[in-house]
C-alpha cells in the first residue's frame, strides 16, 4: 500500500491542481483579465485556498462562498491570501444541505458583479484534466499499480484519473470512496460532518462508469482511520484521506495477495485539529469511539 501525499502542494491539498488548471486556461484565452475580472466560486475550503493562491498571484479579485461547516482555519488562510469570503447560513429546504444554497449564491454574485466568472468545479472539464498529472506521478513512482483509491466530492480527481487510466489502457482497478451521507453514488444514508468528502448533490462530472468499484464510508470510520494513521504512521491527514484508508480496509479481502494499492490522500490534517483530532469534538458528535483507533491496521508507505 502506498499513499500519495497531496498535502505537499503549495496550498496543502490536491485542489491546487484544479484551481491552477481552471484559471490558467481562462487567463490564456482572455476570459479572465488580471485587474478587471472577478472569480466567484463555492468551496468547502481546499479549492478556495487553491483559487486564492492563483488569483493572488495574477492580481484577480476572488470571492469564495462557504457555509458553517467550512473549517475556520481554511477561511483564515483564504483571507490571508486576499480572498473575500462570504458565508451562507441557511440550508436548502428540499435537501437540508448547504451546497445548493452556496451554488445559488454564486450564481447571484456572478449575475450582479461586472466581469465575474465562476470556474464551477462541479462541471468544468478542466477540473479532471488537472488530475491527469496525478496519475502520471503515481505510475512514475510505482510502475506496477493494481488498485487506485480516490475519494469523491466534485468527482474531478476520480474522473481525471479514470480518463488517463482508460486512455492509456493501464491495468488498474479504480476504486471510488464516497461518504455514506453523500448523494453521489446512491441515496444519502444519514448525515455528513466531514467537509470535502462526498456531496449533497450529484456533480455533473459524475459518471456511472468512472469507477470499477464503489465503497461508501461513514464519518466514524474515516475519523478512526485518520487517528490510526497519525498514531502509527506519523501521517496527519484530513477526513477524506482517512475515508480512503477505511475504504481499502472494507474490501481488503477482495484484493489478491501481492497486489499494489495506491491511495490518493487529498490534504493535510492541520486543518482538522479542532475536529477530527479533537477528542471533545469527536465525543460530542459520535460518542466514545476511541476503541476503533486501536484495531489492527495495515502499514502504509508514503510516496
Amino acid at each position: 500500500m502506498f499513499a500519495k501525499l497531496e498535502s505537499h502542494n503549495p496550498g496543502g491539498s490536491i485542489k491546487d491542481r484544479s484551481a491552477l488548471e481552471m484559471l490558467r486556461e481562462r487567463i490564456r484565452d482572455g476570459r479572465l483579465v488580471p485587474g478587471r475580472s472577478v472569480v466567484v466560486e463555492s468551496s468547502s475550503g481546499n479549492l478556495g485556498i487553491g483559487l486564492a493562491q492563483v488569483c493572488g498571484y495574477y492580481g484577480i479579485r476572488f470571492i469564495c462562498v462557504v457555509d458553517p461547516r467550512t473549517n475556520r482555519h481554511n477561511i483564515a488562510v483564504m483571507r490571508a491570501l486576499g480572498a473575500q469570503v462570504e458565508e451562507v447560513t441557511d440550508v436548502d429546504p428540499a435537501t437540508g444541505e448547504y451546497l445548493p444554497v452556496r451554488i445559488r449564491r454564486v450564481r447571484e454574485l456572478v449575475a450582479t458583479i461586472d466581469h465575474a466568472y465562476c470556474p464551477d468545479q462541479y462541471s468544468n472539464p478542466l477540473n479532471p484534466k488537472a488530475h491527469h498529472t496525478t496519475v502520471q506521478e503515481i505510475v512514475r513512482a510505482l510502475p506496477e499499480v493494481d488498485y487506485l483509491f480516490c475519494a469523491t466530492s466534485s468527482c474531478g480527481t476520480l474522473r481525471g484519473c479514470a480518463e488517463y487510466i482508460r486512455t492509456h489502457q493501464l491495468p488498474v482497478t479504480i476504486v471510488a470512496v464516497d461518504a455514506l451521507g453523500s448523494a453521489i453514488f446512491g441515496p444519502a444514508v444519514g448525515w455528513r460532518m466531514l467537509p470535502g468528502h462526498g456531496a449533497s448533490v450529484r456533480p455533473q462530472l459524475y459518471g456511472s462508469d468512472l469507477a470499477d468499484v464503489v465503497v461508501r464510508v461513514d464519518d466514524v470510520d474515516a475519523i478512526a482511520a485518520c487517528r490510526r494513521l497519525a498514531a502509527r504512521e506519523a501521517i496527519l491527514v484530513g477526513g477524506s484521506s482517512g475515508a480512503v484508508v477505511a475504504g481499502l480496509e472494507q474490501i481488503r479481502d477482495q484484493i489478491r495477495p501481492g497486489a499494489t494499492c495506491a491511495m490518493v490522500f487529498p490534504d493535510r490534517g492541520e486543518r482538522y485539529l479542532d475536529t477530527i483530532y479533537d477528542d471533545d469534538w469527536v465525543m460530542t458528535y459520535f460518542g466514545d469511539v476511541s476503541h476503533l483507533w486501536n484495531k489492527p491496521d495495515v502499514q502504509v508507505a508514503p510516496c
Side-chain angles (χ1 to χ4, degrees):
M1 295 172 58
F2 296 86
K4 189 175 196 312
L5 305 183
E6 288 291 296
S7 58
H8 291 283
N9 289 323
S13 86
I14 196 169
K15 295 291 189 176
D16 285 6
R17 298 176 186 268
S18 300
L20 181 61
E21 188 73 23
M22 290 191 294
L23 296 191
R24 186 167 53 185
E25 286 299 309
R26 296 291 77 89
I27 292 171
R28 287 171 176 166
D29 66 20
R31 292 176 61 182
L32 279 178
V33 179
R36 185 185 72 180
S37 298
V38 181
V39 171
V40 185
E41 180 62 293
S42 160
S43 174
S44 61
N46 284 330
L47 180 68
I49 291 173
L51 291 171
Q53 289 181 113
V54 180
C55 287
Y57 180 82
Y58 284 104
I60 298 171
R61 181 184 170 200
F62 172 48
I63 303 172
C64 188
V65 179
V66 302
D67 63 56
R69 289 197 302 199
T70 305
N71 187 289
R72 299 296 104 177
H73 177 88
N74 285 354
I75 292 176
V77 173
M78 282 187 269
R79 285 180 170 147
L81 290 167
Q84 177 184 336
V85 179
E86 180 173 322
E87 182 175 314
V88 300
T89 56
D90 296 328
V91 297
D92 177 60
T95 64
E97 294 281 350
Y98 291 109
L99 180 58
V101 182
R102 281 178 16 208
I103 293 174
R104 284 197 292 270
R105 182 55 182 157
V106 167
R107 289 172 181 163
E108 291 172 358
L109 291 169
V110 170
T112 56
I113 297 175
D114 291 339
H115 309 296
Y117 168 74
C118 174
D120 190 6
Q121 62 168 317
Y122 308 104
S123 65
N124 192 330
L126 293 173
N127 181 358
K129 180 184 175 183
H131 299 291
H132 293 185
T133 59
T134 306
V135 185
Q136 290 171 8
E137 292 166 8
I138 290 172
V139 298
R140 194 157 55 233
L142 302 171
E144 295 183 7
V145 180
D146 299 297
Y147 290 83
L148 176 64
F149 288 75
C150 296
T152 59
S153 55
S154 70
C155 289
T157 301
L158 177 63
R159 175 172 285 279
C161 291
E163 287 173 351
Y164 186 90
I165 287 170
R166 268 81 185 256
T167 298
H168 292 81
Q169 299 182 333
L170 302 179
V172 180
T173 298
I174 304 168
V175 183
V177 181
D178 194 16
L180 197 59
S182 167
I184 298 177
F185 285 97
V189 180
W191 49 289
R192 294 178 298 123
M193 285 295 297
L194 303 181
H197 184 219
S200 57
V201 178
R202 179 174 285 172
Q204 293 183 44
L205 292 177
Y206 164 84
S208 59
D209 60 341
L210 294 179
D212 301 303
V213 180
V214 176
V215 182
R216 302 183 76 184
V217 173
D218 65 22
D219 284 355
V220 171
D221 287 338
I223 291 168
C226 286
R227 300 292 285 259
R228 291 197 302 276
L229 278 170
R232 303 181 185 187
E233 306 288 344
I235 300 175
L236 201 64
V237 292
S240 54
S241 301
V244 168
V245 174
L248 192 152
E249 291 175 342
Q250 278 193 32
I251 67 167
R252 62 188 302 172
D253 292 339
Q254 303 172 35
I255 299 174
R256 65 173 176 80
T260 298
C261 298
M263 301 175 292
V264 178
F265 284 5
D267 66 356
R268 59 173 62 130
E270 288 88 342
R271 295 166 185 169
Y272 306 88
L273 293 178
D274 57 353
T275 54
I276 291 172
Y277 298 99
D278 183 88
D279 292 341
D280 292 337
W281 183 87
V282 174
M283 178 67 76
T284 298
Y285 290 102
F286 304 101
D288 185 3
V289 293
S290 58
H291 62 284
L292 296 175
W293 308 336
N294 300 314
K295 63 188 289 189
D297 199 6
V298 289
Q299 295 296 307
V300 180
C303 72

